[in-house]
Amino acid sequence: MEGLSVGSVLLTGCDGGLGLGLLKGLLEQPSPPRHLFAACLDPQGKEDAQCMGVASCHVLQSWPPACVPKPSCPLADVTDPNSIRAAVRKVREEVGNAGLNLLVNNTSTTRSSTLATETAENMSLVYTTNTIGPLQTSQAFLPLLKEAAEAERQHEMSCSRAAIINISSILGSIEVAEAWEERQDICYRCSKAALNMLTKCLALEYGSSGILCVSVDPGHVTPPLEPGMGPVTLEESVRGILQLLAQLSATSNGTFWDWRGQRLPW
């Protein structure tokens, strides 16, 4: 199957786990992005994360050690407007008028809880990171996404033209309400349900500019957060997500999918 071909990508939450896996997967595509911006919470915290802060990696052929960090402006906190604006400036310096083709909002957090133990503090913290963070990041990068969509206006909507992908969770599906007995995690479920609504709102507003907006559930990757959840290996999840992104089109705008390429109910 032909891989995902996209000129420029910004991926948040690349310190480890899914973010780092997606970063590696993008670099290993038959046609890697010309510009790949990896946003990390802790730019110095991972030896295996060769892309630190917001680094621009030009047509890298291997991983590691080819991905050498360049002078960067770390997107240290997707809830910090100053940090986001600095990242926008860095991306603008690298891509110029070509714009940003693909924004993947991957940064996420959770707090284990039940209805009996959930707190306002947890709800606020998780919602701020999981929902407000993607909102602010999408708003800030909208001009660059619009430029990319305009530059590729001869093509249909796709991740190669201009797109926002929000990494969500099946736990945010109100209809499915999966794994309730194993994992209530109220704050996480509510934040991901809100993120799904944000995806729909972004699709309604940005679709007319040629920007595709989709939510994706990456699965419960191994090792799972809780016993009994999973298993989906990181490699399986990354491979499935990248295959899905390569196939998304205008008919996918404002929808919810899983890593296997199956459409999910809200």
Side-chain angles (χ1 to χ4, degrees):
M1 182 178 294
E2 187 176 347
L4 176 66
S5 178
V6 56
S8 57
V9 182
L10 172 67
L11 175 61
T12 70
C14 291
D15 298 83
L18 180 65
L20 190 58
L22 286 170
L23 187 63
K24 180 179 178 181
L26 285 164
L27 291 168
E28 292 174 345
Q29 292 295 290
S31 298
R34 182 184 176 197
H35 300 281
L36 180 52
F37 301 92
C40 303
L41 286 169
D42 181 8
Q44 305 302 327
K46 295 280 185 183
E47 241 178 58
D48 57 345
Q50 298 294 319
C51 277
M52 304 183 206
V54 179
S56 181
C57 312
H58 298 270
V59 197
L60 302 173
Q61 300 301 322
S62 62
W63 174 280
C67 188
V68 179
K70 298 190 175 185
S72 64
C73 175
L75 181 51
D77 186 352
V78 296
T79 66
D80 178 4
N82 291 327
S83 182
I84 297 171
R85 283 192 291 267
V88 171
R89 289 193 296 270
K90 176 61 182 176
V91 173
R92 168 71 71 185
E93 290 172 4
E94 296 288 345
V95 303
N97 294 330
L100 178 68
N101 298 112
L102 178 59
L103 169 63
V104 181
N105 288 311
N106 172 65
T107 300
S108 185
T109 190
T110 188
R111 293 292 185 275
S112 181
S113 65
T114 65
L115 274 174
T117 63
E118 191 57 270
T119 66
E121 180 182 9
N122 277 350
M123 291 288 286
S124 178
L125 185 154
V126 173
Y127 186 88
T128 298
T129 300
N130 293 2
T131 310
I132 297 177
L135 168 64
Q136 294 184 143
T137 305
S138 299
Q139 288 173 327
F141 279 95
L142 177 60
L144 283 165
L145 289 161
K146 282 185 173 180
E147 288 178 15
E150 178 64 19
E152 300 287 339
R153 62 185 179 277
Q154 71 273 21
H155 297 119
E156 297 294 326
M157 292 176 76
S158 69
C159 289
S160 297
R161 182 183 177 189
I164 298 172
I165 302 299
N166 290 325
I167 301 299
S168 185
S169 171
I170 188 63
L171 297 183
S173 170
I174 294 173
E175 181 174 339
V176 175
E178 184 176 278
W180 176 255
E181 297 300 326
E182 295 86 359
R183 180 183 175 188
Q184 292 191 6
D185 288 359
I186 309 303
C187 55
Y188 185 77
R189 288 177 182 270
C190 291
S191 71
K192 291 301 186 179
L195 179 62
N196 286 343
M197 174 54 80
L198 174 62
T199 298
K200 189 67 173 183
C201 294
L202 293 173
L204 292 170
E205 185 67 14
Y206 296 172
S208 60
S209 297
I211 302 170
L212 177 69
C213 303
V214 171
S215 281
V216 175
D217 166 40
H220 303 293
V221 297
T222 305
L225 293 176
E226 299 288 343
M229 301 294 288
V232 175
T233 68
L234 180 60
E235 291 75 18
E236 288 173 332
S237 178
V238 168
R239 184 167 58 250
I241 291 172
L242 294 179
Q243 288 176 354
L244 170 67
L245 298 191
Q247 298 168 16
L248 295 175
S249 65
T251 58
S252 314
N253 195 35
T255 56
F256 186 19
W257 299 79
D258 72 9
W259 65 278
R260 296 165 294 188
Q262 297 178 355
R263 185 166 173 176
L264 298 175
W266 296 117

